[in-house]
Amino acid sequence: MIAANLNLSLEERQHLLEMPTVKDRLTRLLPLLSRELEVLRLGSKIQNEVVASMSKNQRDFFLREQIRAIQRELGEADAGANEAKELRDQIEANHLPEEAKKTALKELERFAADATIHAEYTMTRNYLDWLINLPWSKFTETNWIWRRRASPG
């Protein structure tokens, strides 16, 4: 009866049925039961880890939403929105070349959409700072001479 309810192959079941004594069947069944028990334990462990991970993610999401609700209730603007506005003002004030400005604004949209928890948040922020703070309209004497020689006419 135990063998019928285990997840055994047809060959294993047949081998158990062909054994002459009950003692031989039970002796053969013991390692099969141990294997099945180990599989169930491993499955249970994996399931518990998945549930714990999901619970942590759900808890984190819930807490972030509570923080946003509290900030709205207190009349505080979203910190990310303020940061994005400051970056947009800096992009406009620094007179970037058209291509650089276009790239900076595209990255700013991604930055504003990302929550501060994403891994790319800091990288995008650093990239925007780098784009904004490059001296786009400042030239040294060496660069100015090279540009005049390189330009036709």
Side-chain angles (χ1 to χ4, degrees):
M1 188 166 141
I2 294 172
N5 291 312
L6 284 178
N7 188 18
L8 300 176
S9 68
L10 185 60
E11 293 84 22
E12 290 173 325
R13 290 174 196 242
Q14 183 66 36
H15 184 69
L16 282 170
L17 287 174
E18 291 173 354
M19 293 188 149
T21 66
V22 174
K23 183 180 178 187
D24 291 340
R25 286 183 198 146
L26 290 175
T27 304
R28 175 72 180 124
L29 194 57
L30 185 60
L32 298 174
L33 280 171
S34 296
R35 182 187 70 189
E36 193 69 22
L37 181 62
E38 189 62 34
V39 168
L40 289 173
R41 283 184 181 151
L42 183 60
S44 177
K45 180 183 174 195
I46 291 170
Q47 183 67 26
N48 289 339
E49 288 175 3
V50 168
V51 167
S53 174
M54 284 177 43
S55 296
K56 182 187 179 316
N57 289 341
Q58 288 172 340
R59 191 181 106 249
D60 290 349
F61 174 77
F62 180 72
L63 290 174
R64 279 191 205 89
E65 288 302 315
Q66 281 184 324
I67 290 170
R68 285 188 191 113
I70 290 168
Q71 286 175 336
R72 282 191 302 268
E73 198 65 33
L74 293 173
E76 297 175 1
D78 186 16
N82 286 339
E83 197 171 8
K85 184 183 179 321
E86 289 174 12
L87 287 170
R88 183 174 303 279
D89 292 343
Q90 288 178 3
I91 290 169
E92 297 298 332
N94 283 1
H95 306 294
L96 277 63
E98 192 58 38
E99 188 66 28
K101 185 175 182 178
K102 182 178 169 185
T103 301
L105 290 174
K106 179 181 172 191
E107 289 298 321
L108 181 62
E109 286 178 25
R110 276 187 44 203
F111 176 80
D114 280 347
T116 56
I117 60 162
H118 293 306
E120 291 127 14
Y121 179 87
T122 304
M123 185 176 65
T124 305
R125 171 63 199 224
N126 290 339
Y127 180 63
L128 284 168
D129 285 338
W130 179 78
L131 273 176
I132 291 168
N133 293 315
L134 272 175
W136 293 100
S137 59
K138 297 176 185 166
F139 299 101
T140 62
E141 186 61 31
T142 306
N143 284 343
W144 183 251
I145 292 170
W146 180 79
R147 284 180 177 263
R148 280 195 301 187
R149 287 185 190 160
S151 64

